[in-house]
């Protein structure tokens, strides 16, 4: 049995995958956004990277927050 990529079943699977990806991205964002204000500050980045064992200079963290 062959399904085309435009079959309703494949479209539903693709939408579900997109929804799952959106949720995953929000979950990751929320890890960085410690105070839940919708922004990720340089301090919040520094805390997360430190917890991950990544040593970054203050300037690297500031540069990352700006971009």
């Amino acid at each position: 049995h062959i399904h085309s990529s435009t079959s309703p079943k494949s479209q539903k699977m693709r939408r579900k995958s997109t929804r799952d990806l959106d949720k995953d991205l929000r979950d990751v964002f929320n890890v960085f956004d410690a105070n839940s204000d919708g922004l990720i500050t340089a301090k919040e980045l520094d805390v997360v990277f430190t917890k991950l064992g990544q040593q970054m200079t203050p300037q690297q963290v500031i540069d990352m927050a700006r971009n």
Side-chain angles (χ1 to χ4, degrees):
H1 209 155
I2 299 174
H3 292 283
S4 77
S5 63
T6 58
S7 72
K9 184 176 181 177
S10 66
Q11 288 174 353
K12 183 178 179 181
M13 289 173 55
R14 193 173 324 127
R15 281 193 302 267
K16 184 178 185 306
S17 296
T18 300
R19 274 187 250 128
D20 289 345
L21 178 59
D22 288 346
K23 183 188 179 313
D24 290 346
L25 290 173
R26 280 191 303 278
D27 290 345
V28 170
F29 183 90
N30 290 335
V31 168
F32 286 85
D33 183 21
N35 64 357
S36 300
D37 67 354
L39 303 171
I40 300 173
T41 66
K43 180 63 180 166
E44 289 168 327
L45 281 175
D46 186 47
V47 168
V48 171
F49 282 110
T50 299
K51 286 181 181 179
L52 294 173
Q54 298 292 319
Q55 298 300 318
M56 299 179 73
T57 67
Q59 190 59 51
Q60 287 174 312
V61 175
I62 290 168
D63 290 345
M64 186 176 285
R66 284 185 183 152
N67 295 321

